[in-house]
Each structure stands twice: as structure tokens, then as C-alpha cells.
Amino acid sequence: MIIVDDERLERLGLAKMIHNGIPEIEIIAEAPNGRMAIELARELKPDLIMMDIKMPGIDGVEAVREIKKMDKQIKFIMVSAFNTFEYAKEVMQQGVKEYILKPSKQEDVIAALKRVREEILEERKQYMESLQMKRNLSRALSVIESEWLSTLLMNHIEEMNVDEWSKLLGIEVRAGYMMIFSMQCQDHIQSNDEKRTIYSGVKSLLKTKLDENCIVGPMADNQIPVLVLMGSSHEIKRSNAITIARSVVRTLKERFHHTKWMVGLGQPFETIDGLMNSYHEAILALESKKWGTAHLYEKTNYLTEQISIEKEKHLLESIKLGDHHRALQAFEIYMEANKDKNSHIYEELSILITRMLKEYGIHHEIKQKPIQEEQWIISLRQFVMKAVELVQAWRANHQKGYLQTAKEYIENNYEKNISLEEVADFVELSPFHFTKMFKEKFGVTFIDYLTDVRLEHAKRELIHTNKSLKEICYSVGYNDPNYFSRVFKKKTGLSPTIYRNQTT
């Protein structure tokens, strides 16, 4: 606080009272007049000023008025030798609530200071809680956005109400295009922390470059999908998209010296149903393998506007299910639907299937395309059947082991700030497939399972130890005791305190 009074002895007396009565309050300056008070307030930004009203030059009322213009958060206690209603009314109009008469009694000064101090501390606490809540909400929305895009790219549009999610996230998907950033590490070795740092850097850079008009999906197989949103496809200029992509690639190259980057761009779409077209086009655009550049997928005479996405989806889903019969049938239907572009089907379909297998951690690529059409169709059919076998084997031999490993990782690290992406990366699965598999296997989401694990450990701590609620909160992975209590009560129906009292 700052003490402002034109009488030096009065300032000394107030300082002594405060030091003896409330030593937690630090007096950082004194001023003999209103003008100096204004200067000190601008420079030091105190929490509180104790201000005399009648002073030569700028009086206390005028000084309060000027300081309030600079900083509305500063509190004031006014001191005056005049017990008149007009003086009190004038300072109250400036938002001053404490008014002390001279000569000041120690008990009056201390009581007023304690009231104002409590008010300041409460406001500060509320501000910090609000700030933390905003940060948590921002992080949560970022994760939800990422998962929302992942769901779309996994062809589960029909399983979600796009309009409801769009309202929740404040996202209006009209037109846009897909970008995929692909990273190559020079040493081919990166820790999870390095990947998280790079991912955060890419996300922050894209949000800045694109004025927040984008949704960044999670990194999988060193690739990051990005949905760029526009009001209409007419606003999307090819040159602008390439310029932005190249600018981002250059910045990433400068920021992360040990990495190489390239980006593939799909063609613009008018509605959300066209998003998958743009995504697949972005994948195909990356196949040029020219690092450090941006590639826009070009529609040519072999790729018509009416590409059969439904047939392609059905084929890929059949492979994912490990169903030979359905996959073979879907392959023949797909080939028939795309017979006009046979000369390029081999490369296009093999790219999509190879990428899908990589998401399962399966690395298998098709052989070089045979020259004769009959031979390459046979080769492509064999590749589809081989993909089905690989998925079957993966499901039989690895799925259970991966998920059990994931559960063990959660059990051993529940007290840390672990994320779905971290656990998925630990078991070497893409976040997309890990999310779906975890829910199918255990009947709960990753977050719900992690919460259950943490609360079971919290229950044991409550019953068998004398630790405080705050200690238990931190020991099971929560950073906010209030949030921990709300989650505990929601899951158990009892607050932690009542649970402890009823079970011990």
C-alpha cells in the first residue's frame, strides 16, 4: 500500500500502526500530496492507497478520480479531519467504501485495513480461479477440436451430430480444404516430449497464420492433418493456400532444424460431406516426396468430380474388420465403379490402404505395378487380401496385448498429467484407433477409465491414511482440490470428507 498525507507525522503514525497491527501489509511508498500520489500509483501499481482528503494542490478526491482512470483495481481508504456528509458522499461516488476520521484510532485503522485486505485477497483468488478455468477450458476445447476432426477423418460422420458439435465448439463448417503436414527427422529418433513440443509449435504457428480459422488434428505417423475453414469455396484461392503452406514449412524448418517438412493440400469442398475427398487428395499430393515444398492435388481427366467415396469407405472398412468375403466383394464393386480411371487406381488405392495399415502400426507396401492390366488388377486384389490377413493377425495377436499394456501404463502413471495421445504413442497406435479400440474393449472412454483409476486410489488414501484432502488430490493426479472434490462427488455421490467419515 501507499500512504498519502500532507502531514509527515501523520504518515509516520499510520505506518507504525499498520506495521504493528497487520505486518503482512507492505508499505511501499509515502506521498505528501495528490500529484505525487498519482505518479507513485502509475509507477508502483499498489493494491491499496490510504489517502487524506484535504491536501494542498490536487486534493484526495481529485487524486482518486485520476488514479481510477489509470487502474480501476486499486482500493482506497480515505482519511479526513472533517466529519461532514458532503465529503463522505463525494468519495463514495468514486467507489471508496472506507472513510476514517482524524485523529485516527488504531482499532479503526486496523479494522478498515483488514476489511479491504480480505476484499483484495478474495478478488485475487476469484481472478486466479477464473484464469485457471479459462486455461483449462481452452485446453479442453483444443483436445475436443482435435478429436472431432479425428472422428471425421475416420469416416464416422454418420455417428455424430455435426451441427450439435459445431455449435458446442463454435465451429461453422461450410467450405474449406484439407492440409497434411508431414515431418521427416534427420536422425529418425525422437522422444515423446520432442514430438509434443513440435506438435505444439505447429499448432500455434498454424493458428497464427490462419487467424484461428483452422482445426489441427493429432499427430499420427509423423503427419498432422489440418482442416482450414472458409466462408465459401470462392474465397479459397489456390495461390493463397500454397503461399500459406510454404510459409509455414519455411518457419518450421527454421524453428526445428533437425526436421524436414512438406505439405499436401486437397481441393476445396463446399460442404462437410466433401471433406473426405479433400483429405484423400491431400494424402495423394504428399506422394511426390519432395521435402520442403507444398503440393496441391490437381484434378485431371482420370479423376472426375464424382469420385466414389462411399465405395472406397466400404472397402477400407471391410479391410479394417478383417473380413475376407466382404473385402473381396467391396474390391470388385470399387473396381467397377472406377473402371474409367483404371490406369491410376493401382497407385491411388495402394496409397490409401498402406496409410490405413500404418495407423495400426503395420508396415506393408505393394510391389511395383505390373505392366499388363490383368496382372496389376490381380496384384491389387492380392494386396487387399494380404491387408485383410495382416489386420486379422494384428487383431488376434496384438490388440489385447496393446490394450493391456495401455492399462498398465495408466496404472503406473495415473498420478501424472498423462493424455490419451501419450498413452496411444506409448503402445504405438494412432490416437484414432486407440480411442475406438479402448471403448470397444473396456466399455468406457480413456478419460472415464483414468478418472476411475484415480478415484479408486483416492478412496484408499481417504480410508487408510491421515493425509489432507489437498495432499490426496495432488497424489492422484489432480491439480485443483475443488475440481477433485466435484469429480469425486459426481462419481461416488459423496464428498471426499463425508466418504472418509462414513468409511473410517
Side-chain angles (χ1 to χ4, degrees):
M1 67 174 288
I2 294 174
I3 297 175
V4 184
D5 198 296
D6 59 338
E7 297 182 17
R8 181 173 177 276
L9 289 176
E10 187 71 22
R11 297 198 303 270
L12 291 173
L14 285 171
K16 188 174 182 180
M17 284 185 199
I18 295 165
H19 179 72
N20 293 334
I22 315 181
E24 299 89 349
I25 294 179
E26 180 185 1
I27 300 170
I28 56 175
E30 297 179 10
N33 54 59
R35 185 177 300 281
M36 187 176 289
I38 295 170
E39 295 298 325
L40 288 171
R42 180 182 291 110
E43 180 184 348
L44 301 176
K45 304 186 185 309
D47 299 304
L48 169 65
I49 298 177
M50 183 171 278
M51 180 89 72
D52 188 16
I53 291 180
K54 294 295 289 182
M55 292 182 294
I58 296 178
D59 66 12
V61 177
E62 181 62 26
V64 170
R65 190 178 291 117
E66 291 300 314
I67 293 170
K68 281 283 187 182
K69 290 178 184 177
M70 296 187 303
D71 191 339
K72 295 188 184 326
Q73 301 302 315
I74 297 176
K75 308 292 183 187
F76 294 89
I77 295 177
M78 305 305 293
V79 182
S80 175
F82 301 92
N83 186 13
T84 64
F85 175 73
E86 287 304 317
Y87 277 117
K89 178 182 177 183
E90 197 167 1
V91 294
M92 283 190 290
Q93 287 175 344
Q94 303 303 319
V96 177
K97 298 178 182 179
E98 297 290 342
Y99 187 93
I100 300 174
L101 287 175
K102 289 182 179 180
S104 308
K105 294 181 180 179
Q106 182 167 340
E107 57 267 28
D108 294 339
V109 172
I110 298 304
L113 281 168
K114 284 184 175 179
R115 286 192 294 270
V116 176
R117 181 173 180 270
E118 286 300 315
E119 186 177 343
I120 291 170
L121 294 176
E122 181 60 30
E123 287 181 1
R124 188 171 294 167
K125 178 184 175 185
Q126 290 178 4
Y127 171 76
M128 294 305 294
E129 288 179 351
S130 173
L131 189 64
Q132 184 62 40
M133 190 177 297
K134 287 178 181 177
R135 287 172 180 165
N136 291 341
L137 180 60
S138 177
R139 284 196 294 266
L141 285 176
S142 178
V143 172
I144 293 171
E145 272 190 12
S146 177
E147 291 304 314
W148 181 79
L149 179 57
S150 298
T151 304
L152 291 180
L153 298 182
M154 285 183 69
N155 303 329
H156 295 311
I157 297 176
E158 68 279 359
E159 296 179 12
M160 59 191 297
N161 188 318
V162 176
D163 291 334
E164 288 184 6
W165 276 99
S166 297
K167 289 178 183 177
L168 173 65
L169 299 173
I171 300 168
E172 187 174 6
V173 180
R174 291 183 181 176
Y177 60 93
M178 285 297 305
M179 307 169 75
I180 300 178
F181 286 83
S182 185
M183 176 182 69
Q184 183 187 58
C185 304
Q186 291 177 0
D187 56 8
H188 299 282
I189 299 174
Q190 276 187 308
S191 67
N192 290 337
D193 288 340
E194 286 177 317
K195 285 186 176 181
R196 280 193 288 269
T197 299
I198 291 172
Y199 177 75
S200 297
V202 174
K203 191 168 187 177
S204 174
L205 183 60
L206 286 167
K207 291 284 186 179
T208 302
K209 294 275 188 184
L210 297 165
D211 296 324
E212 299 290 330
N213 293 320
C214 69
I215 300 173
V216 183
M219 180 185 285
D221 197 26
N222 285 349
Q223 293 188 345
I224 303 173
V226 182
L227 168 59
V228 183
L229 299 170
M230 306 295 287
S232 69
S233 65
H234 302 296
E235 296 178 21
I236 304 172
K237 295 182 179 179
R238 182 176 305 182
S239 59
N240 288 351
I242 293 177
T243 299
I244 289 170
R246 286 176 177 166
S247 174
V248 173
V249 167
R250 281 196 301 271
T251 306
L252 290 171
K253 193 175 178 182
E254 293 169 2
R255 189 176 295 181
F256 305 107
H257 303 291
H258 60 294
T259 61
K260 292 182 180 180
W261 293 86
M262 68 175 173
V263 56
L265 292 87
Q267 291 286 343
F269 58 85
E270 286 283 2
T271 67
I272 197 168
D273 294 328
L275 184 147
M276 287 305 297
N277 268 348
S278 188
Y279 176 59
H280 289 156
E281 290 165 358
I283 293 173
L284 294 173
L286 285 175
E287 293 306 306
S288 60
K289 298 295 184 187
K290 294 178 182 177
W291 294 97
T293 55
H295 312 283
L296 177 68
Y297 187 76
E298 300 287 353
K299 293 181 184 294
T300 63
N301 57 359
Y302 68 83
L303 183 62
T304 67
E305 294 286 339
Q306 303 299 321
I307 186 171
S308 183
I309 293 297
E310 289 304 317
K311 303 292 188 299
E312 182 182 282
K313 282 173 58 178
H314 182 57
L315 174 56
L316 294 176
E317 285 298 324
S318 299
I319 295 173
K320 290 177 184 178
L321 291 171
D323 189 322
H324 275 104
H325 177 72
R326 285 181 61 179
L328 184 58
Q329 186 180 49
F331 172 77
E332 301 302 339
I333 293 172
Y334 178 82
M335 294 295 291
E336 177 63 26
N338 295 278
K339 60 185 178 182
D340 294 334
K341 56 169 189 169
N342 273 349
S343 59
H344 290 277
I345 262 189
Y346 195 90
E347 292 85 357
E348 185 176 326
L349 190 57
S350 63
I351 288 168
L352 295 175
I353 295 175
T354 300
R355 180 176 174 82
M356 183 206 73
L357 291 174
K358 283 182 179 178
E359 291 179 346
Y360 282 94
I362 302 170
H363 297 276
H364 182 74
E365 296 185 2
I366 196 169
K367 297 178 181 178
Q368 186 174 358
K369 179 183 175 182
I371 297 175
Q372 298 296 323
E373 181 175 334
E374 289 184 2
Q375 289 300 315
W376 69 250
I377 290 176
I378 292 172
S379 177
L380 192 55
R381 186 184 291 110
Q382 290 173 343
F383 181 61
V384 170
M385 293 297 98
K386 183 63 176 179
V388 172
E389 290 177 13
L390 291 169
V391 171
Q392 282 181 336
W394 182 89
R395 284 181 176 274
N397 301 323
H398 297 86
Q399 183 172 349
K400 184 177 179 181
Y402 283 156
L403 293 178
Q404 188 59 41
T405 300
K407 284 182 70 174
E408 291 173 1
Y409 185 85
I410 294 170
E411 285 284 356
N412 294 330
N413 296 276
Y414 67 90
E415 76 283 2
K416 301 175 184 175
N417 186 25
I418 58 175
S419 65
L420 181 148
E421 287 78 12
E422 178 182 338
V423 180
D425 190 62
F426 180 77
V427 295
E428 299 181 340
L429 292 176
S430 73
F432 317 139
H433 287 93
F434 177 73
T435 301
K436 189 175 181 183
M437 286 165 45
F438 198 93
K439 180 71 180 294
E440 288 175 353
K441 178 68 176 177
F442 302 120
V444 294
T445 65
F446 166 80
I447 291 296
D448 285 339
Y449 182 80
L450 176 60
T451 300
D452 289 341
V453 170
R454 285 172 168 171
L455 293 186
E456 285 303 313
H457 283 275
K459 288 177 185 177
R460 287 195 283 272
E461 295 277 342
L462 288 167
I463 296 172
H464 300 297
T465 73
N466 294 321
K467 292 181 181 178
S468 67
L469 295 184
K470 185 177 289 187
E471 288 178 299
I472 294 174
C473 162
Y474 296 143
S475 72
V476 297
Y478 290 99
N479 297 320
D480 183 350
N482 292 328
Y483 178 71
F484 164 69
S485 296
R486 289 196 298 271
V487 172
F488 192 95
K489 186 172 183 179
K490 183 178 180 181
K491 285 283 187 178
T492 66
L494 301 172
S495 70
T497 301
I498 294 176
Y499 181 87
R500 169 175 268 173
N501 292 338
Q502 290 188 0
T503 53
T504 55

